[in-house]
Amino acid sequence: MRNEAMVQPVPVPVAYGPLLATLVLALALVVLPFAAQALGQPSLVPLATRALIYAIAAASLNLALGYGGMVSFGHAAFFGIGGYVVGILYQSFTADELLFGLIPGTNQLLLTLAAAMLAAGFLALVIGALSLRTSGVQFIMITLAFAQMLFFLFVSLKAYGGDDGLIIRRRNILFGLDTRDDTVFYFVCLAAAAIMFWGIARIVGSRFGMVLAGIRQSERRMAAMGIAPYRYKLAAFVISGMGAGLAGALMANYLRFVSPDMLHWTKSGELMIMVILGGVGTLLGPLLGAAALVVLETVLTAWTEHWQLVLGPILLVVVLFTQGGLRALLRRLGGGR
Amino acid sequence: MAEPLLCVRGLRKRFGGLVATDGVDLDVAEGEIHALIGPNGAGKTTLITQLFGELSHDAGEIRLGGEEIGALPTPQRVRRGLARTFQITHLLPDYTVLDNVALAVQARQGHSFRFFAEARRDDGLRGQAKGHLAAAGLFHRAEVKVSDLSHGEQKQLELIMALAGGPRLLLLDEPMAGLGHAESEQMVGMLSALRGKVTMLLVEHDMDAVFALADRISVLVYGRVIATGTAAEIRDNPDVRAAYLGDGEA
Ligand SMILES: Nc1ncnc2c1ncn2[C@@H]1O[C@H](COP(=O)(O)OP(=O)(O)O)[C@@H](O)[C@H]1O
Ligand SMILES: [Mg+2]
């Protein structure tokens, strides 16, 4: 025993692979709009913008689902509320009215994004506080139920367009930038995504992140160490909801439109598929998953209107045969384990 | 006379028709190693689980250092000085050995609402965790994933993590179960090195270990404590012989 104590642990090789992959990816994303122009494919830019926005939403969901083990089937609620905040603030702004008689409308992107994150965060606090008292299938169903309630609420709110949604005539403004320009808006979303992914990477590696992933592995063990899981799960759920709200706000700007579609359960499902497709509980997986789903959807819709029928089997193959999604597949192709 | 560190009075727990804990009175004095023995199904694990707050009791009192803790959730009991190991280990299987111990150290340092600094580069956490591992002779396995550990190493890790919390009272549920002879001896060595530093309630089937370690022994049969005393007293107690030591290999 005395000797063993002296033996050094086997050193773990420093993994430069992920760092390199991240750098290459970042470079590719910066170059993308220019490459698209040069190749005469300008429509790639809005496509990539959509992928980035969904990547933010999927990465946020992944924090709850992949790291915290909270299988939320209701993240469309946060995504949608983020979109509606942009739409409603814009409506008040153009009508020059006070919202609820208190809040002035705005078309300033920084303000609307912040408001969207706050609203989504508050909603996540309420939904999370109630649903995190359950777990497993019950948790899945209760988050789904909350999101559907919100969906039907907005369908019935005629003041905000009901079924038809709200049209946002112009994208929000940011400093002197021309956000109407596809490339400019792409870079706005890229910046938001970069901050989001960086932030999530910090969180995942922090003391909080260690606790969160510990809770996923065994709540009983965490309690035995003196850590009450509920508060940590709730905090992660709120952060996750805020991220999804940010994505929704960007999506409303991108589409210049927001409707109950953004709140529909199929949107929650799409976000989940992106996470699973990319690799649950990996940092870059959601980006890969979002890009893959956006591209697949675009390619398949051009080919057949029953694109979802084709998508299903593709998802099955990826999930069954890559063992950990696209992120794991890439790692293995890259010579990892 | 000062009250014992742990003082259990009239503890009762019923599972449907089965009374698993049937009015248990138990005292564990500060500094002692108190063994709890009894046949399979006597209710030893159920008792530990209630003391630790993972299962609520139907009636009775649990006092730690004079304070009633029976209504507190597990994490708050841990903060008041309880720790336990499990008969079937509960660890964080995706983490390394060092991650597991570092998290136990982190938990002791207060809340973990720190979102920014990288925990795996926190020398305060890692250094202390490495110290705990080195002291227990498991340092060479620090970077191994817990799911790749042997059963014996997992049992050892649970003990290290329990100790990292700096407990006043350690509840040990069959720490020797499933260990080979050498591992068993090592575990007995670790526990006896803790004598006087940590108070222990030790559930164990290995009677050699019990007689080697225990200052006092309580015998639990059908959810009742039928005897408490020193090893010699327990060995000579006719009720115990009839109910437990006599029946079979024990
Ligand atoms: N959660 C439970 N529900 C129903 N019965 C249980 C439960 N836990 C334990 N028991 C029963 O209580 C009795 C005591 O079990 P246990 O405490 O595990 O015994 P020991 O640890 O002494 O072997 C057994 O008969 C067991 O089947
Ligand atoms: Mg047992």
Side-chain angles (χ1 to χ4, degrees):
Chain A
M1 234 173 104
R2 279 277 162 273
N3 280 339
E4 275 173 357
M6 296 290 114
V7 180
Q8 292 294 316
V10 185
V12 188
V14 180
Y16 290 110
L19 188 66
L20 195 67
T22 311
L23 282 176
V24 170
L25 190 69
L27 193 67
L29 287 173
V30 169
V31 171
L32 188 137
F34 308 110
Q37 297 292 348
L39 293 173
Q41 300 281 347
S43 69
L44 278 182
V45 177
L47 190 73
T49 307
R50 251 166 30 105
L52 281 176
I53 295 172
Y54 277 128
I56 294 174
S60 306
L61 174 60
N62 191 37
L63 183 68
L65 192 158
Y67 289 98
M70 294 170 270
V71 185
S72 163
F73 200 175
H75 260 50
F78 314 126
F79 186 70
I81 211 73
Y84 266 100
V85 165
V86 171
I88 293 170
L89 285 175
Y90 188 82
Q91 191 187 45
S92 309
F93 172 75
T94 49
D96 203 12
E97 287 169 356
L98 288 182
L99 186 58
F100 313 128
L102 290 171
I103 308 164
T106 178
N107 69 339
Q108 294 285 335
L109 187 68
L110 287 183
L111 289 179
T112 58
L113 293 188
M117 290 175 77
L118 275 179
F122 180 72
L123 184 66
L125 183 67
V126 173
I127 294 180
L130 295 169
S131 48
L132 284 172
R133 302 197 179 276
T134 67
S135 59
V137 176
Q138 256 189 315
F139 179 78
I140 299 176
M141 298 317 283
I142 199 167
T143 49
L144 171 65
F146 274 119
Q148 283 300 92
M149 274 163 54
L150 209 68
F151 168 79
F152 286 115
L153 176 71
F154 274 92
V155 165
S156 67
L157 277 178
K158 295 294 176 240
Y160 301 135
D163 252 340
D164 298 329
L166 285 174
I167 289 178
I168 300 160
R169 298 204 40 175
R170 289 207 173 153
R171 282 184 188 151
N172 289 167
I173 55 176
L174 177 68
F175 310 125
L177 296 175
D178 179 13
T179 48
R180 280 178 300 182
D181 181 78
D182 280 343
T183 301
V184 169
F185 193 66
Y186 170 85
F187 277 109
V188 169
C189 292
L190 182 58
I195 294 170
M196 198 68 202
F197 275 84
W198 176 78
I200 288 178
R202 299 301 310 199
I203 290 174
V204 163
S206 70
R207 286 186 178 216
F208 177 83
M210 293 297 286
V211 166
L212 184 64
I215 290 170
R216 183 198 68 227
Q217 293 169 62
S218 169
E219 291 202 17
R220 193 167 182 191
R221 164 47 64 188
M222 299 309 284
M225 293 193 294
I227 292 173
Y230 180 76
R231 286 178 289 163
Y232 293 95
K233 284 163 71 174
L234 184 56
F237 196 74
V238 169
I239 295 170
S240 173
M242 290 173 80
L246 170 68
L250 288 171
M251 187 55 90
N253 270 287
Y254 168 82
L255 297 171
R256 284 181 289 113
F257 174 61
V258 51
S259 74
D261 267 359
M262 280 177 78
L263 293 160
H264 198 246
W265 68 269
T266 50
K267 195 58 75 182
S268 299
E270 272 178 53
L271 295 179
M272 264 171 130
I273 288 171
M274 289 171 192
V275 171
I276 294 164
L277 194 61
V280 174
T282 62
L283 278 175
L284 289 179
L287 179 62
L288 298 175
L293 201 68
V294 167
V295 169
L296 268 178
E297 189 186 322
T298 309
V299 172
L300 293 179
T301 33
W303 181 48
T304 163
E305 62 181 294
H306 303 296
W307 63 278
Q308 278 159 327
L309 280 182
V310 189
L311 184 64
I314 294 179
L315 292 178
L316 266 182
V317 167
V318 170
V319 171
L320 288 179
F321 293 101
T322 59
Q323 297 165 12
L326 295 174
R327 185 75 192 84
L329 186 66
L330 279 188
R331 196 182 307 135
R332 250 171 280 140
L333 291 179
R337 48 172 189 135
Chain B
M1 201 189 88
E3 185 171 295
L5 179 59
L6 177 73
C7 191
V8 180
R9 288 293 173 270
L11 201 71
R12 214 170 280 282
K13 179 74 191 178
R14 178 189 280 276
F15 293 121
L18 176 88
V19 182
T21 308
D22 191 4
V24 165
D25 294 344
L26 182 72
D27 287 340
V28 179
E30 185 96 48
E32 80 171 329
I33 299 182
H34 193 122
L36 182 69
I37 63 172
N40 267 326
K44 305 180 296 294
T45 297
T46 303
L47 176 60
I48 296 264
T49 306
Q50 289 170 87
L51 297 179
F52 204 51
E54 296 167 309
L55 189 66
S56 61
H57 52 280
D58 298 337
E61 294 166 23
I62 304 168
R63 287 196 300 277
L64 183 71
E67 183 194 6
E68 170 65 43
I69 59 167
L72 299 177
T74 302
Q76 291 193 34
R77 296 190 198 195
V78 171
R79 245 164 284 145
R80 280 164 177 73
L82 275 189
R84 85 168 278 188
T85 65
F86 297 91
Q87 185 171 353
I88 299 157
T89 55
H90 284 281
L91 291 156
L92 305 173
D94 300 344
Y95 278 161
T96 64
V97 170
L98 186 56
D99 285 340
N100 270 265
V101 183
L103 206 46
V105 174
Q106 175 182 327
R108 194 188 176 186
Q109 292 181 356
H111 73 80
S112 292
F113 287 102
R114 298 196 205 166
F115 299 90
F116 198 74
E118 202 177 329
R120 287 198 174 93
R121 297 224 175 121
D122 188 326
D123 291 337
L125 290 182
R126 296 264 136 175
Q128 271 194 51
K130 284 175 183 170
H132 288 301
L133 284 172
L138 205 60
F139 188 54
H140 64 296
R141 302 289 275 166
E143 299 295 348
V144 176
K145 226 172 96 170
V146 162
S147 55
D148 293 334
L149 290 182
S150 73
H151 173 71
E153 288 169 329
Q154 293 199 8
K155 286 253 166 190
Q156 215 184 337
L157 178 57
E158 276 216 332
L159 177 59
I160 295 168
M161 289 171 72
L163 291 171
R168 299 164 73 189
L169 175 63
L170 187 52
L171 309 170
L172 298 158
D173 196 358
E174 304 208 19
M176 267 55 108
L179 298 192
H181 184 67
E183 290 173 324
S184 230
E185 278 193 343
Q186 194 184 354
M187 184 62 80
V188 172
M190 276 178 79
L191 294 180
S192 76
L194 293 168
R195 180 188 301 282
K197 298 190 190 112
V198 188
T199 309
M200 291 179 225
L201 180 63
L202 168 68
V203 170
E204 188 47 60
H205 271 300
D206 178 340
M207 294 312 289
D208 292 337
V210 168
F211 287 128
L213 287 167
D215 299 308
R216 284 198 303 159
I217 300 172
S218 288
V219 184
L220 193 73
V221 179
Y222 293 123
R224 290 173 162 276
V225 175
I226 60 163
T228 294
T230 62
E233 286 165 1
I234 291 299
R235 241 187 297 234
D236 297 338
N237 184 310
D239 291 344
V240 176
R241 297 197 77 90
Y244 181 48
L245 290 180
D247 72 351
E249 25 65 85

